[in-house]
Amino acid sequence: MLILPAAAALVGCSGSGPDETAAMDSGGVETSISIDISPYISADAREVGCSIVTDFAKSRMEKADKPVVLTDASKSGFDMPAEEADLLFAYLVDDENGDPESVGIRQRAGAFLALTKESAIEQCGELTALHRARSHTPAPSEDSPPVNLEDMSYEYETYVLSIPLVDFDRGKAFMWYGHGCGPLCGGTGIEIYTRLPDGGWQRTDYQGLSIS
């Protein structure tokens, strides 16, 4: 799995219609005429996604009993092949019955990968402020977090965050994150949120991807 040192241990774009030929979208992901990811990277989707990732970061920092480092998937070396993302969203969206080659699944997977190439900390204003005020800054000489030999934990925790994929049609949002708490402590996964009748969003499920 992805090993988590301090920040590299462990993801403003505007949408448009599908291109006539294969091209790189603003997130650096190759798209084609059949794959239009614009509904998932719209301003409305971005607003909801930023609210979700900021609330997630706040809750983790409030629960932590040691310093926390917040960093971006875009700066962590996170790299998921498109085919793997297609399979992941076929499972997440349709409970294993989805077709990873369908246009809808590939749209969602493509938008997810595009969002992991952006900086959640730079794009989401409240998260920017939270990072500035409360995120621990490792010493420049640290290649990885110092280890407490008594319990083999890191002296600070690391959370690597991406802007969530918000699917208004299905009332779901999917946020990738990585967590590092020790050489053999941490993992990556997808936090799943559901839209409530009042318009809010609540965490309702989790899909683990890796663990150490």
Side-chain angles (χ1 to χ4, degrees), residues 56 60 159-161 175-179 187-191 206:
F56 175 88
R60 291 305 186 271
Y159 281 94
V160 185
L161 307 172
M175 187 190 78
W176 182 92
Y177 82 98
H179 176 220
T188 65
I190 301 284
E191 292 281 301
Y206 169 79

Side-chain angles (χ1 to χ4, degrees), residues 28-30 50-51 66 82 92 108 132 135 138 144 159 164 177 183 202:
V29 176
E30 186 172 294
C50 283
S51 177
K66 60 181 63 178
L92 291 176
R108 291 169 174 84
R132 184 181 300 118
S135 180
S144 62
Y159 281 94
Y177 82 98
Q202 178 178 325

Side-chain angles (χ1 to χ4, degrees), residues 74-206:
S74 63
K75 295 179 172 63
S76 71
F78 172 84
D79 185 22
M80 180 181 289
E83 295 81 2
E84 186 176 327
D86 292 344
L87 289 171
L88 173 64
F89 277 89
Y91 175 82
L92 291 176
V93 172
D94 292 313
D95 299 323
E96 299 186 63
N97 298 315
D99 177 4
E101 297 184 0
S102 70
V103 171
I105 293 299
R106 292 180 63 203
Q107 285 174 330
R108 291 169 174 84
F112 166 77
L113 291 178
L115 290 168
T116 65
K117 303 299 182 186
E118 294 192 38
S119 169
I121 292 171
E122 294 176 3
Q123 295 291 327
C124 302
E126 288 189 42
L127 187 60
T128 303
L130 181 68
H131 178 266
R132 184 181 300 118
R134 298 181 59 183
S135 180
H136 174 68
T137 301
S141 59
E142 291 181 12
D143 293 327
S144 62
V147 176
N148 183 331
L149 297 180
E150 291 185 4
D151 59 5
M152 293 303 294
S153 67
Y154 288 145
E155 293 184 4
Y156 53 83
E157 296 184 56
T158 300
Y159 281 94
V160 185
L161 307 172
S162 75
I163 300 174
L165 168 73
V166 178
D167 184 346
F168 286 119
D169 289 341
R170 293 179 182 250
K172 296 288 185 180
F174 306 91
M175 187 190 78
W176 182 92
Y177 82 98
H179 176 220
C181 45
L184 297 175
C185 174
T188 65
I190 301 284
E191 292 281 301
I192 302 171
Y193 293 77
T194 300
R195 184 172 52 205
L196 302 175
D198 65 3
W201 294 78
Q202 178 178 325
R203 180 191 183 277
T204 53
D205 206 351
Y206 169 79

